[in-house]
């Protein structure tokens, strides 16, 4: 089923165009951050891989966040498509995140 979905969704013109422009798009966004008053919730995998400059996927997301107290990074074990296997935990985290913002 995964192969069928990938073949159907993974190679359309928009996805191919995005892949062809990834370096340019990264260069445009490399110094961008979310607004300081915007709550942000990131989900990412727990990875031990560290780049040559000592960073990993969590530190990458940290660079995009400001010091807004409501922003949060949630790490979960799994593969890139966390929503396929960790949807229960993600749903719980999203609900708690939204509830925490109710007082803001």
């Amino acid at each position: 089923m995964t192969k069928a979905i990938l073949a159907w969704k993974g190679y359309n013109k928009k996805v191919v165009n995005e892949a062809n422009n990834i370096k340019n798009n990264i260069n445009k966004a490399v110094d961008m951050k979310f607004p300081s008053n915007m709550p942000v919730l990131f989900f990412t995998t727990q990875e031990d891989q560290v780049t040559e400059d000592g960073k990993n996927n969590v530190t990458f997301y940290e660079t995009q966040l400001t010091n807004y107290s409501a922003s949060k990074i949630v790490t979960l074990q799994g593969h890139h498509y966390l929503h396929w296997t960790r949807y229960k935990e993600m749903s719980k985290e999203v609900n708690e995140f939204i509830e925490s913002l109710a007082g803001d």
Side-chain angles (χ1 to χ4, degrees):
M1 180 166 251
T2 301
K3 287 180 182 180
I5 292 170
L6 181 60
W8 178 48
K9 293 280 194 182
Y11 296 104
N12 65 51
K13 289 179 185 178
K14 300 283 186 190
V15 173
V16 172
N17 184 42
E18 180 182 352
N20 289 336
N21 288 294
I22 195 163
K23 185 174 181 179
N24 185 41
N25 291 337
I26 288 171
N27 288 337
K28 286 180 184 178
V30 71
D31 293 323
M32 289 182 168
K33 290 184 180 225
F34 287 93
S36 60
N37 62 346
M38 177 186 289
V40 177
L41 176 62
F42 280 125
F43 290 98
T44 188
T45 57
Q46 293 178 340
E47 294 182 12
D48 294 329
Q49 292 179 319
V50 176
T51 60
E52 291 178 12
D53 57 355
K55 296 182 181 178
N56 62 24
N57 56 327
V58 174
T59 57
F60 168 75
Y61 290 123
E62 287 173 342
T63 63
Q64 295 178 9
L65 297 176
T66 57
N67 290 329
Y68 190 56
S69 61
S71 295
K72 184 176 180 181
I73 301 170
V74 177
T75 58
L76 298 169
Q77 289 191 352
H79 53 72
H80 179 75
Y81 298 104
L82 286 169
H83 59 283
W84 289 2
T85 56
R86 305 307 294 253
Y87 58 91
K88 289 179 183 177
E89 294 96 326
M90 293 174 79
S91 177
K92 180 180 176 277
E93 289 286 347
V94 168
N95 288 333
E96 289 175 1
F97 185 73
I98 291 170
E99 288 174 16
S100 75
L101 299 175
D104 285 353

